[in-house]
Amino acid sequence: MPDGSPHLTCDPYSTIKEPECLAKWQIVQLQKIAAVHDATLAMHRRMAPLQDKLLRHVEREIDEAEEADRWKYEDDDDEDENDPFHV
């Protein structure tokens, strides 16, 4: 082929008559895996800014919820210190 990719003239699923048929088939399969991997990486690169933004938002929400609930835990500590039966 002009682009340098192997061209299968054999059928790797039936009797292999050409010795290099299996090697060519493996190269074709590896090229498919590499192409899918590249597409996955491209998708992850496009999604990365959105994931970062979402993570920052979730962290901010958690921090705000913890800040809003802090009074619940601070009062418990103060009461325990003033409790004469507190060990």
Side-chain angles (χ1 to χ4, degrees):
M1 296 218 122
D3 63 353
S5 62
H7 178 68
L8 292 180
T9 57
C10 60
D11 181 10
Y13 299 106
S14 66
T15 304
I16 298 174
K17 297 176 184 170
E18 182 182 333
E20 295 82 17
C21 183
L22 186 58
K24 288 180 185 179
W25 180 79
Q26 289 172 334
I27 291 172
V28 169
Q29 295 304 312
L30 287 173
Q31 287 175 336
K32 288 179 186 179
I33 291 170
V36 169
H37 181 67
D38 289 342
T40 303
L41 287 176
M43 182 189 68
H44 282 292
R45 285 187 199 106
R46 287 193 312 266
M47 296 295 291
L50 180 60
Q51 289 174 333
D52 291 341
K53 186 177 180 180
L54 180 63
L55 183 60
R56 284 192 305 272
H57 180 73
V58 169
E59 288 173 343
R60 187 171 52 241
E61 290 289 326
I62 291 171
D63 290 342
E64 289 174 1
E66 288 175 351
E67 178 69 28
D69 289 343
R70 187 185 312 171
W71 64 271
K72 294 178 186 177
Y73 307 112
E74 287 178 355
D75 288 346
D76 289 345
D77 293 340
D78 293 339
E79 289 175 6
D80 288 342
E81 291 173 2
N82 295 332
D83 185 8
F85 300 107
H86 179 67
V87 181

